[in-house]
Each structure stands twice: as C-alpha cells, then as structure tokens.
Amino acid sequence: MARDQLTRDQIVKAAIELLDAEGLEGLNMRDLGRRLRSAATAVYWHVGSKDALIALAADEAWHEAELPDPAELGWREAAYRMAVSLHAMFTRHPWLVQAFGAYPIYGPGKARHDDHALGVYEAGGFVGIEADQAAAAVFTFVLGNALGVAAQQAFNRKLARDANAEELARAHQADAVAVAVGFPRLRARVESPSAEYAAGPEGGFEFGLRAMLHGLESGRH
Amino acid sequence: MARDQLTRDQIVKAAIELLDAEGLEGLNMRDLGRRLRSAATAVYWHVGSKDALIALAADEAWHEAELPDPAELGWREAAYRMAVSLHAMFTRHPWLVQAFGAYPIYGPGKARHDDHALGVYEAGGFVGIEADQAAAAVFTFVLGNALGVAAQQAFNRKLARDANAEELARAHQADAVAVAVGFPRLRARVESPSAEYAAGPEGGFEFGLRAMLHGLESGRH
DNA sequence: GTTCCACTTGAACGTTGTTCAAGTCGGGTC
DNA sequence: GACCCGACTTGAACAACGTTCAAGTGGAAC
C-alpha cells in the first residue's frame, strides 16, 4: 500500500464538502483532486465517472434524514418530523435536489428512508398503494419546496462569484418589480408589503405541509 | 437588413424545440446555430448568454399554462385544473423544472401565472398571505412531482444515447431490487407487485393534489 | 456612390470530463 | 535479498463546451 492512498469514502466525503461549499456546478474533478492532494485523474480508478460520484454523494447524504418512530409519536407527528428533517437535509445540501432532476438517485440511503416512510403511513392506517401515495405526496411537496431553496442558493452563489454583484442584484430586483406592476394582485403585494410577508417563504413550508397532512388524514379509507 | 436575419423570438423558439428534444444538457450553442442555419456565435448578439437564453425559453413556456376562471368553475375546480395544466406543461418541458433549480426564472410568463393563481385562491376565501401560501403549496407540490418526471425522462434519454442501453437498464433494475430486498416493506412490494401498482407514479399526482386541496379548504380561516 | 452601422462569421481561448500509456511502490514468492 | 506482479497514481492529451474578438458583409440613408 502506498502512503497516500485514496478511499472511495474519502472521495465521497470530499465531494460532499465541495458540493456544499460550491454547489453542483461548482464541483469539478481538478478541484476535487486538489482537495484530496492527488491528481484529478486518480479518482477515476475508484469511482467510474463524475455522475456516479454525485449519485454516491447523494445517497450518502440521505442517511442524515431522521427516522422518528410512529409507535412512540403517533403517525402524524412522525410524518411531520420526517418531512421537516428531510427538508432540513435538502437545505443543507441543495445540490442534491438539483441532481435529483438529472440523474436517477436510488441507493441504500434513499431506500432506508422510503421504507421507514411506508412504515409511518401504514401505522397511520394507509393500506397498500395508499401508503405509497401518501408517502410520495409528502415527499413530493418537500422536494418541490427544496427546489425553490436550491434555486435561491444557486442564485446567491452566482451573485457572490460575480464582481459587481450588488448592481446585478439591484437590477434583477428592479426587473421583478417592473414585471409585477403589470398584474393587479402582484402589484398590490409589491406596493404595500404588509408585515406578514416578512417571514419570507420559510413560513410557506409549514403551512403547506400541515395542509397536506390534514388532507391525507381525512382522505384516508 | 441582410437576407438571413436572426430574431430573438426565432432563437428562443428553436431553443425550446431543441430543449424538448434533447434535454437541458443536450442543448449547446453549436447545434442551436446549426438549426438556425447560422454561426453559433451569431446568437450572442441577440441574447447575451446561454443562461439568459434558457431563462427566456423558460418564461416563454409558462404561457402554455391554462388559466381557468374561478368565477365560472368555483375556486377548487379552477385550482385543480390550473395544477393539472401546469403539471402537463412541466411534463412537456422537463428541462424547465431542472432549470428552475439552477437559475432564477421570473418573467412575464410566470408572473401572469402567479397573479392568476392568487386570484383563484382569493376567490376561495384565502385572505392576504394565506392566498400566497395556498398557491405556493399547490405549486410546490406540482413542481416536486414534475421533478420526478424530469428525472425519469433524463434517465431514459441517457439510456437511449448509450449504445448498450438495454444491458445498462437491466443492471440498474437489478441493483434497485437488490437494494430493496434489504428493507421489509420495499421487499414486500418488489416480491409481490399487486396489480394496483401498475398505474405507476402517474396516479400519485392526482392523489396528492386532491389531498392538498382538501387540506387547504378545511384549514382556511 | 459613399458612408455607416446593425449584424454575421471563423478562428481562437480557457475550462470541463475523460482516456491512456507510463510510471511507482508495497507485499508476496523463490 | 532479488524479483516481480498487480494495485494504484500520474501527467499529458483529447474532444466538447461556452464565450470573446477582430474582421468582415451588406442593406439603408443621404
């Protein structure tokens, strides 16, 4: 064994750190090699391709999601906490959501999560495919919300990288307002932004999640 | 005016056709130029950058979404049809969903849609920020579902491009089963796939959408 | 007919993912 | 201890990509 040996786990860990810091399009094999103190091409002996590496990193991140016990908390509280925990994980790793739309990501990490989710909804009285659909509905909502978060973070990074960031941001903001003015309801919100909007889009996640869980509960057979 | 003149609209239209056919990562400026019967670099006089072009194409696509009238149909049916129409649009243009996670996409097309959505939910009795949150919740669910569709289509395209596609697909399938076997509930579904699962993930969209709308209706103040 | 400028072109640059022949080096065998 | 094999690394190189730029081209205005 040579002194400076690479491991697949080391590579995946370094990739996750780089992805968190630089975003999905910020990851490249040369920087990854630099961080690992080896040639960029050495990675290819262990991993196959960049896409495969991203799939590995994504599935690894899935293990961060918590799996609350429905027997202890009740199915609805367990489902709620699962969704919140998943949402937090996506927010920590926004590249994962973007990758989700480009590569099929399915491995032990996601399987572990899916299996537990099915257990939660079956504990809630959802039978057969209804458990699948209920779990998928909540997961889908969390994913959609996370995609919005990812977009925002990607935009912020793009601004940070650019030199004259502030000017760009201001121009973009001005554009948004100019567009909104053409539509009555959007204009009302732009012109007199009441205090209740200050919470930002964060509040919308709780709202939608509770509505979804409530709708599932009363639609159950 | 020279005979072979480019227009921004022509460029955007050609870009959408290419994106629909080849996917987000299948679009490149040289192919776009070829389709427009001009040099690839001619596009840059009209558009600025590839990212800006994608943003233009995305906003253009938004106009395909239908805006049903809540006064005529009732708010809930209008909301339902809006969501279904939006979902169909995302399915026709899966690249849009992927782009949504990478660039901030906001223009007249999306503004028109958002404004109408607010109108629908206000007609349903949602006041102030609740209308925003209700609209955002349904939109988020549709977006998340569309992301799954986009992933599937991207994967299919990747398989189609590769030479030994069938073998790859089979290997991937085998991997998925091998992973699932390690988890009790997933294993049950893999081992005895009852007929009710045949509908595929399509059925899940209706199910989740109805649950969300129901939950919103009963949570309204 | 001359000038002008909106628009196009082809060559070129830097960055990216990936391949490949050539190397290095530790551990097992005689 | 000499040898060698195979796991692992390296640097050079390739093709494809987005983008820039100096050099054009050709219709419209005077």
Side-chain angles (χ1 to χ4, degrees):
Chain A
M1 287 281 201
R3 155 111 354 143
D4 306 33
Q5 196 85 342
L6 283 179
T7 317
R8 218 162 93 143
D9 286 347
Q10 269 177 36
I11 294 174
V12 171
K13 197 180 161 201
I16 291 180
E17 289 172 9
L18 259 174
L19 284 164
D20 287 346
E22 310 289 344
L24 185 58
E25 66 279 343
L27 173 69
N28 65 76
M29 303 305 268
R30 286 164 172 83
D31 283 355
L32 181 62
R34 214 164 290 137
R35 172 174 281 251
L36 290 165
R37 254 175 260 282
S38 76
T41 54
V43 172
Y44 282 87
W45 197 90
H46 299 271
V47 167
S49 75
K50 185 186 178 184
D51 286 4
L53 174 57
I54 288 176
L56 285 175
D59 194 68
E60 181 62 30
W62 229 279
H63 283 95
E64 293 178 18
E66 296 164 19
L67 307 181
D69 182 8
E72 184 185 332
L73 301 162
W75 80 272
R76 200 164 152 179
E77 179 66 17
Y80 176 79
R81 293 197 192 179
M82 256 190 109
V84 169
S85 168
L86 189 65
H87 186 251
M89 188 273 276
F90 281 147
T91 303
R92 277 194 301 275
H93 308 299
W95 49 270
L96 204 167
V97 190
Q98 295 176 247
F100 200 89
Y103 324 104
I105 290 168
Y106 183 74
K110 183 165 184 341
R112 162 181 169 276
H113 181 269
D114 289 352
D115 190 72
H116 187 81
L118 284 175
V120 168
Y121 289 94
E122 284 179 353
F126 294 88
V127 180
I129 198 173
E130 271 195 12
D132 291 70
Q133 290 182 329
V138 172
F139 173 75
T140 286
F141 174 74
V142 172
L143 190 66
N145 205 294
L147 190 61
V149 174
Q152 191 58 49
Q153 297 198 9
F155 184 52
N156 288 343
R157 232 192 318 271
K158 205 167 283 186
L159 282 184
R161 244 195 292 277
D162 223 324
N164 41 3
E166 246 174 283
E167 190 174 348
L168 261 176
R170 224 191 314 274
H172 200 268
Q173 183 70 16
D175 278 2
V177 171
V179 169
V181 172
F183 299 90
R185 281 166 278 264
L186 296 179
R187 180 175 56 229
R189 280 158 175 81
V190 166
E191 285 180 348
S192 62
S194 84
E196 57 180 0
Y197 288 92
E202 302 306 320
F205 174 66
E206 289 260 334
F207 180 89
L209 178 57
R210 287 188 194 283
M212 178 64 92
L213 288 175
H214 186 87
L216 287 174
E217 183 158 45
S218 51
R220 183 180 42 173
H221 288 143
Chain B
M1 287 281 203
R3 156 114 349 146
D4 306 34
Q5 197 84 343
L6 283 179
T7 318
R8 218 162 93 146
D9 287 347
Q10 271 177 36
I11 294 174
V12 171
K13 196 180 161 201
I16 291 180
E17 289 172 10
L18 259 174
L19 284 165
D20 287 346
E22 311 288 345
L24 185 58
E25 68 278 342
L27 172 69
N28 66 75
M29 304 306 268
R30 290 176 228 272
D31 282 354
L32 181 62
R34 213 164 291 137
R35 172 173 282 251
L36 290 165
R37 253 175 262 280
S38 75
T41 54
V43 172
Y44 282 88
W45 196 90
H46 299 271
V47 167
S49 75
K50 185 187 178 184
D51 286 3
L53 174 58
I54 287 175
L56 285 174
D59 195 68
E60 181 62 29
W62 228 280
H63 282 95
E64 293 177 17
E66 295 164 21
L67 307 182
D69 182 9
E72 183 185 333
L73 301 163
W75 79 271
R76 199 164 152 178
E77 178 67 16
Y80 176 77
R81 293 197 191 179
M82 255 190 110
V84 169
S85 168
L86 188 65
H87 185 252
M89 188 273 277
F90 280 147
T91 303
R92 276 194 302 274
H93 307 299
W95 50 270
L96 204 167
V97 190
Q98 296 176 246
F100 200 88
Y103 324 104
I105 290 169
Y106 184 74
K110 183 165 184 339
R112 163 180 167 276
H113 181 269
D114 290 351
D115 190 72
H116 187 81
L118 283 176
V120 167
Y121 290 94
E122 284 178 355
F126 295 88
V127 179
I129 199 174
E130 270 194 13
D132 291 70
Q133 290 182 328
V138 173
F139 174 74
T140 285
F141 174 74
V142 173
L143 190 65
N145 205 293
L147 190 60
V149 175
Q152 191 59 49
Q153 297 198 8
F155 183 53
N156 287 342
R157 231 191 319 270
K158 205 165 283 184
L159 283 185
R161 244 194 291 278
D162 223 324
N164 41 2
E166 247 173 282
E167 190 175 349
L168 262 176
R170 224 190 317 273
H172 200 267
Q173 183 70 15
D175 278 2
V177 171
V179 169
V181 171
F183 300 89
R185 280 166 279 263
L186 295 179
R187 181 176 52 229
R189 279 158 176 82
V190 165
E191 287 180 346
S192 63
S194 83
E196 57 182 0
Y197 288 91
E202 301 305 320
F205 175 65
E206 289 260 335
F207 179 89
L209 178 56
R210 288 188 193 282
M212 177 63 92
L213 288 175
H214 186 88
L216 287 174
E217 183 158 44
S218 52
R220 182 180 42 173
H221 288 145

